[in-house]
Amino acid sequence: MANGGPVEHGFPHLETVREAVTALYRRLSYDTVRTFSASVAPVDVAFCDTDDLYLGTQRVARELVRHYRLPDARMIVSFREMTHAANVELTAGPEYFIELNDRFRTHRRDIGAALAHEVMHVYLHRLDLSFPGTRANEILTDTATTYLGAGWLLLDAYREDSASSQKLGYLTPEEFGYVLAKRALLFGEDPSVWFTSPQAYTAYGKGLARARRDEQQPPLTAAGWAGRRRYA
């Protein structure tokens, strides 16, 4: 969680992001991915300052459990001082313990974004899908969260100006935009209508341009002779 520090930009993790999308299709199948055609609705994860902190957090967590189709998973959420945005204890279930940074007590609009990432950890844990290494595995989690309909929350949590900055997740803002655009092109949706952060619009636009460039590339451009022969 960048908080006042520099935010990395561009597409430095694009190869891992693409591998993550491929891994999702291999593990879930195309038909299962298609069942996530509806993104998490803003009204279902809205959190205002007048809401009770714990009741509101549990409500948002239940909505994300429902979205990921984890009906027998219960999220127990608490708050404490920590360096990272959040942490989840992965066990056999059905109860999973999520800790959120104390900062979210006063930044409640971003609780949904933090929970979207942590509940996805549970989803991937149950799928037995992971990448070797912490960074690659976190990129997989961000990518899966976004591609399966909850990652627009993570991009919307990105805010940056001359005095401060905030970003959740391991992907850059533009990479979140790229995965969102891949999803948008698949399902014909426009996630930008849900953004409240001006910087999220900009990052999504850059990600969309990169995703459209992918569609303009001829197939097997990077394949060698053996790959082309297998394809034929």
Side-chain angles (χ1 to χ4, degrees):
M1 176 175 65
N3 181 18
V7 174
E8 186 177 23
H9 288 279
F11 301 91
H13 314 111
L14 202 55
E15 182 178 351
T16 307
V17 167
R18 289 167 173 162
E19 290 173 355
V21 173
T22 300
L24 274 180
Y25 276 102
R26 286 177 174 168
R27 187 65 181 85
L28 292 178
S29 81
Y30 176 80
D31 290 338
T32 301
V33 170
R34 294 286 301 188
T35 66
F36 287 90
S37 59
S39 290
V40 173
V43 66
D44 292 330
V45 291
F47 206 129
C48 66
D49 290 339
T50 58
D51 289 342
D52 179 90
L53 177 63
Y54 291 95
L55 292 178
T57 300
Q58 289 298 148
R59 172 182 56 79
V60 174
R62 285 195 300 271
E63 177 57 31
L64 290 164
V65 166
R66 184 205 64 78
H67 177 75
Y68 294 138
R69 298 170 179 81
L70 294 168
D72 60 338
R74 296 189 296 273
M75 304 296 150
I76 312 301
V77 186
S78 62
F79 297 81
R80 72 173 178 88
E81 290 187 12
M82 55 197 303
T83 302
H84 299 291
N87 180 63
V88 62
E89 181 182 340
L90 296 175
T91 63
E95 291 185 342
Y96 297 88
F97 296 90
I98 296 176
E99 295 177 318
L100 296 182
N101 192 301
D102 257 342
R103 185 172 184 274
F104 290 112
R105 292 178 182 271
T106 54
H107 292 76
R108 300 183 181 185
R109 63 188 264 188
D110 298 323
I111 284 178
L115 288 176
H117 178 94
E118 299 307 319
V119 178
M120 176 53 71
H121 270 302
V122 174
Y123 183 77
L124 294 176
H125 175 69
R126 289 191 166 197
L127 284 177
D128 193 26
L129 177 59
S130 63
F131 279 1
T134 299
R135 176 166 291 276
N137 201 53
E138 292 292 350
I139 291 172
L140 167 65
T141 304
D142 277 343
T143 302
T145 302
T146 306
Y147 203 77
L148 297 184
W152 67 267
L153 288 161
L154 286 160
L155 180 54
D156 196 42
Y158 162 55
R159 289 179 286 279
E160 188 172 19
D161 56 36
S162 59
S164 64
S165 62
Q166 173 186 284
K167 185 187 77 69
L168 301 181
Y170 282 67
L171 298 184
T172 68
E174 293 78 15
E175 287 168 341
F176 274 120
Y178 173 83
V179 182
L180 272 177
K182 286 289 194 179
R183 173 185 167 80
L185 294 170
L186 174 66
F187 293 117
E189 68 178 11
D190 180 10
S192 67
V193 300
W194 303 321
F195 295 151
T196 61
S197 163
Q199 292 77 30
Y201 284 100
T202 302
Y204 177 67
K206 292 179 179 179
L208 179 59
R210 188 62 177 257
R212 283 178 170 158
R213 276 171 52 192
D214 286 356
E215 295 186 336
Q216 296 168 358
Q217 299 300 310
L220 302 177
T221 299
W225 176 87
R228 293 171 183 269
R229 184 175 179 80
R230 281 197 302 272
Y231 181 81

